[in-house]
Amino acid sequence: SGTSAVTISAIAKEGLIPVQEFGAAVDGVTDDAAAIQESLDSLGYAFILYDERAGYTECRINSAINVDQGIVFSNNRQMKILCHVTAGQYAFNFTSVPFLGYGEVANLTIQQNTASGGVKAFECRQVHVRNVTFLGNASGTAAIYLTGGSTNGSAWNHVDDVLAYDYTYGIRLETTGGLEYCNRNFVSNSTFQQCDTAVHMKRASTNMLQAVGCQNSTIHIWMQSAQRNYFLVMNETQSSFSAYLDADSYKNAFHGN
């Protein structure tokens, strides 16, 4: 769904059409998933207008949104997406976004009201997640899941200015099969707090995590067959930093505060 290489700045020049124009109530009660999907399929983006005076502060979705080469965003990070999707699914999904494509979730707060996750990218390039707050409920999923299969890993994706609370995994970078690795992803200026595992890497290589915090998480970093990754972890509040590496993980660099 959507169109390739759409950016927020380009959309703003053309004039924004909010999802309310596609029938979204944005009242926190009505299921707005179909309106958001229609906006993405028609325009290549879904702009969820935040207007406190009009009562547009919460947007409920009961089914997962296929973003792919599109953008979901709001004009205010306080816009809360109340996620009631089926347990184990993710609110926003990207699939096979190519290197010259573009997909983004930005300027939102995503609240999990089921045992679900926030954003999932499968075999993707150039997916961006920025200025997003994730509020979990200790479910068995992740705030952000960058993954791949036997054909491709996910690479060249960017996560920036993210706050994630109370997930089993704050962020996962994982390839589940084949010879491909989840590689060359960049995570910056983000905090994964009160998670069972803040950062999980499995078959992941040459990723960079810069200015990333893992405060009050049980395990800060868990690595399985992870190689040549770079970590700059900052602002830790716990007296000890916990990182678990299996025998197939090597040449990873850690720099704390």
Side-chain angles (χ1 to χ4, degrees):
S1 64
T3 58
S4 62
V6 176
T7 65
I8 291 176
S9 59
I11 294 167
K13 291 178 182 178
E14 297 175 359
L16 299 172
I17 300 174
V19 296
Q20 286 89 332
E21 293 292 321
F22 290 87
V26 194
D27 58 7
V29 178
T30 306
D31 179 14
D32 290 328
I36 294 172
Q37 191 67 64
E38 184 180 356
S39 180
L40 280 163
D41 294 343
S42 300
L43 303 175
Y45 69 86
F47 168 50
I48 308 172
L49 174 66
Y50 180 95
D51 187 338
E52 190 172 1
R53 293 172 297 177
Y56 297 146
T57 60
E58 295 183 339
C59 182
R60 175 173 175 148
I61 58 171
N62 292 351
S63 56
I65 306 297
N66 297 316
V67 185
D68 295 339
Q69 293 187 68
I71 302 175
V72 178
F73 66 105
S74 178
N75 55 311
N76 193 316
R77 185 170 178 162
Q78 294 183 64
M79 172 56 72
K80 186 175 289 185
I81 306 298
L82 304 180
C83 181
H84 291 263
V85 306
T86 302
Q89 294 186 354
Y90 285 76
F92 299 108
N93 295 271
F94 298 86
T95 303
S96 300
V97 175
F99 185 76
L100 295 179
Y102 190 89
E104 185 171 358
V105 173
N107 301 335
L108 296 169
T109 293
I110 300 174
Q111 177 177 303
Q112 316 296 157
N113 292 84
T114 57
S116 54
V119 175
K120 179 179 179 180
F122 178 77
E123 295 188 350
C124 287
R125 309 290 189 271
Q126 298 296 342
V127 168
H128 295 243
V129 182
R130 63 182 182 87
N131 304 331
V132 179
T133 299
F134 295 88
L135 305 175
N137 59 6
S139 67
T141 54
I144 301 171
Y145 188 22
L146 306 179
T147 184
S150 58
T151 303
N152 288 302
S154 279
W156 303 104
N157 302 294
H158 188 192
V159 174
D160 183 61
D161 192 13
V162 160
L163 298 174
Y165 300 89
D166 200 21
Y167 286 85
T168 298
Y169 302 98
I171 184 169
R172 300 186 75 185
L173 297 89
E174 176 184 34
T175 301
T176 58
L179 300 176
E180 294 293 330
Y181 276 69
C182 190
N183 62 82
R184 297 180 178 88
N185 299 289
F186 183 47
V187 182
S188 59
N189 306 310
S190 297
T191 299
F192 306 99
Q193 189 168 353
Q194 294 179 338
C195 299
D196 291 347
T197 300
V199 179
H200 178 224
M201 289 186 168
K202 184 176 182 180
R203 293 184 61 80
S205 175
T206 60
N207 300 286
M208 176 175 283
L209 285 77
Q210 182 175 1
V212 171
C214 309
Q215 290 94 326
N216 299 315
S217 292
T218 305
I219 299 174
H220 292 168
I221 298 173
W222 178 21
M223 308 181 74
Q224 299 173 280
S225 299
Q227 303 153 12
R228 300 180 177 89
N229 299 288
Y230 175 81
F231 300 85
L232 176 59
V233 182
M234 298 176 64
N235 301 323
E236 292 304 314
T237 59
Q238 292 179 244
S239 58
S240 61
F241 174 78
S242 58
Y244 294 86
L245 288 73
D246 70 3
D248 295 319
S249 296
Y250 58 87
K251 291 187 178 179
N252 299 288
F254 296 85
H255 298 273
N257 53 342

